[in-house]
Amino acid sequence: MCVCRRTSGADVSSTDVNRELSSAYRTILSVIDQIEPRIADATRAELTDQRESLKLIASENYASLPVLATMGTWFSDKYAEGTVGHRFYAGCQNVDTVESVATEHARELFGAEYAYAQPHSGIDANLTAFWAILAHRVEQPRLAEFGAKNVNDLSEADWETLRKEFGEQRLMGMSLDAGGHLTHGFRPNISGKMFHQRSYGTDPETQLLDYDKVREAVREFKPLVLVAGYSAYARRINFATMREIADEVGATLLVDMAHFAGLVAGKVFTGDEDPVPHAHVVTTTTHKSLRGPRGGLILATEEYAPSVDRGCPLVLGGPLSHVMAAKAVALAEARTPDFQAYARDVADNAKSLAEGLLSRGAKLVTGGTDNHLVLIDVNNFGLTGRQAESALLDAGVVTNRNAVPNDPNGAWYTSGVRIGTPALTSRGFGADEFDKVAELIVEVLQNTEPVTASTGKPGKAKYTLADGVADRVKAQSAELLDNHPLYPGLEL
Ligand code: PLP
């Protein structure tokens, strides 16, 4: 059993604030009731579901009510294409304030030279960053060579040459089954259609990144863009080494910290593990471990700033000013000592969860964790990821299936279940509670049997969960959840 430090719920658990906002939410929902009651009902039902489930999806969290409330304002109604002070629309002075405050917090929180708060999501942030890198590395030198100020000055023939060159560029990122993300150059995503792509994987034995192998792969492929970052790798990355590797071939190092931005903001990842001092460009979402509104953010060095700053109209249209406002509030929250305590708890809780799972016989990809997530290889329970995910959901435990390295069940059924600590840590769960969560997960997995398919082959989707297990696990989860209510004081 782990010795528990008191966890910080920070603003999510701020009972007084939540109580004060209750009447505002009640009023708003009663007004929506008059217009479209199904939406008011679904909104109430979503709160109940979120309150009553053991939310372990590694990419989800609970933003504070002030962050959520900031999104519900008239900033949504304002067009503001352009940048601070240089808009294509009149009357953007208040949006200028919002965007300036958001980027100021982002720069100071992460120690970045430049920040861009307009991307609507992580995928937008990556696409904007990729095109900004292409603009900086491919377009700018060509414009200078052709004596043009911008692309409109190019002759048809020079423009065709440049367009062809865009399509010849190379990108290298972590393979999907090692934990990389679809936006890192994979074919179903536009990044895979833009770039020639190759990936680096992990060591077949340890399942850890082997930097010598990454170096070898980079030397051979010589990408223009080297991407570091992941969605399902349970370990930290040495970004100083990744930068050295990028420099060897003149690649731009882009770090996608969408998953672990909260651990960077909370100073859990420092030195070589902090991407900001080492990468040319850093992208992130704001809604995962960073605990902000759903959105994206880009940080960059001075060198790349002018290209990223042209994200609109390069890739983006009008910014979501109401969401930028909420990003500013969330980033202000992330600059507090409470948030640093929260980030430490996220990582400590993941360790407790991993130890709890390992001690009860589960197998973890990479053998453990040193970030905010664990990836269970459910093959040794005789299950696919799909069966495990569904059985856990029957018992009120919300996770998601994920491929493991060289997954025998492919990307759809998978052999893994990914579990993260950011959301429940926001509710105040500590190491002891996560040990209990490990016990409940293993109880479900041990009591789930695959159902043989009608073809006689081992089934990949169907399963049976032994009688009584779901109810027993739900009752024990309810006890944990009741002790750590979501938005305490908020009554609709
Ligand atoms: N990058 C990484 C590493 C992610 O994990 C994700 C989302 O899961 C994204 C980008 C895309 O983020 P969004 O869903 O906001 O577009």
Side-chain angles (χ1 to χ4, degrees), residues 156-433:
E156 278 305 307
D158 290 346
W159 177 231
E160 277 310 307
T161 306
L162 181 55
R163 271 168 39 78
K164 190 162 165 285
E165 282 175 15
F166 285 143
E168 285 167 356
Q169 305 307 318
R170 298 171 180 198
L171 176 139
M172 183 170 249
M174 193 178 207
S175 69
L176 275 181
D177 68 353
H181 192 257
L182 269 172
T183 57
H184 299 175
F186 295 95
R187 287 179 193 175
N189 179 255
I190 190 164
S191 55
K193 303 180 204 297
M194 282 166 63
F195 289 108
H196 296 286
Q197 195 268 5
R198 242 190 241 175
S199 0
Y200 54 85
T202 45
D203 181 84
E205 289 297 310
T206 63
Q207 298 175 318
L208 297 170
L209 265 181
D210 175 339
Y211 294 98
D212 291 337
K213 290 265 165 56
V214 177
R215 192 184 301 273
E216 223 173 88
V218 168
R219 276 184 187 158
E220 191 190 316
F221 190 55
K222 297 189 178 44
L224 178 84
V225 189
L226 176 63
V227 182
Y230 51 78
S231 307
Y233 180 65
R235 299 290 173 173
R236 303 179 186 194
I237 293 180
N238 185 321
F239 296 111
T241 304
M242 291 303 281
R243 174 60 186 264
E244 257 174 48
I245 295 172
D247 283 348
E248 273 194 37
V249 296
T252 300
L253 178 63
L254 183 151
V255 175
D256 179 350
M257 64 170 183
H259 256 264
F260 53 87
L263 299 181
V264 179
K267 315 289 177 225
V268 174
F269 289 3
T270 56
D272 292 352
E273 294 166 354
D274 176 354
V276 180
H278 305 294
H280 299 94
V281 181
V282 176
T283 56
T284 186
T285 55
T286 46
H287 48 272
K288 302 188 196 320
S289 56
L290 193 52
R291 209 165 63 185
R294 186 157 292 279
L297 181 72
I298 305 177
L299 308 173
T301 56
E302 291 289 359
E303 183 194 352
Y304 283 82
S307 301
V308 177
D309 215 39
R310 290 191 204 108
C312 166
L314 184 65
V315 170
L316 302 166
L320 308 179
S321 305
H322 57 307
V323 181
M324 286 201 294
K327 286 175 193 171
V329 174
L331 290 163
E333 287 179 355
R335 294 184 65 188
T336 60
D338 260 358
F339 190 87
Q340 294 191 5
Y342 162 71
R344 285 196 297 277
D345 290 340
V346 165
D348 290 351
N349 286 342
K351 282 232 173 329
S352 171
L353 175 68
E355 283 162 18
L357 290 165
L358 289 166
S359 67
R360 292 175 178 91
K363 185 177 162 203
L364 301 184
V365 174
T366 77
T369 178
D370 49 30
N371 56 20
H372 64 296
L373 68 87
V374 299
L375 187 58
I376 308 178
D377 184 338
V378 292
N379 261 317
N380 75 327
F381 290 100
L383 300 171
T384 62
R386 170 91 184 263
Q387 288 160 335
E389 175 195 82
S390 304
L392 286 164
L393 188 62
D394 291 345
V397 182
V398 188
T399 62
N400 69 287
R401 65 186 186 279
N402 207 101
V404 303
N406 303 311
D407 201 310
N409 290 319
W412 178 248
Y413 292 107
T414 80
S415 304
V417 172
R418 188 185 68 161
I419 301 179
T421 56
L424 291 181
T425 304
S426 288
R427 289 179 74 144
F429 275 47
D432 287 348
E433 285 87 347

Side-chain angles (χ1 to χ4, degrees), residues 75 77-83 85-96 321:
F75 273 119
D77 299 332
K78 187 77 195 100
Y79 245 111
E81 283 181 35
T83 50
H86 297 89
R87 304 286 181 185
F88 291 89
Y89 288 80
C92 295
Q93 58 282 1
N94 298 313
V95 178
D96 280 355
S321 305

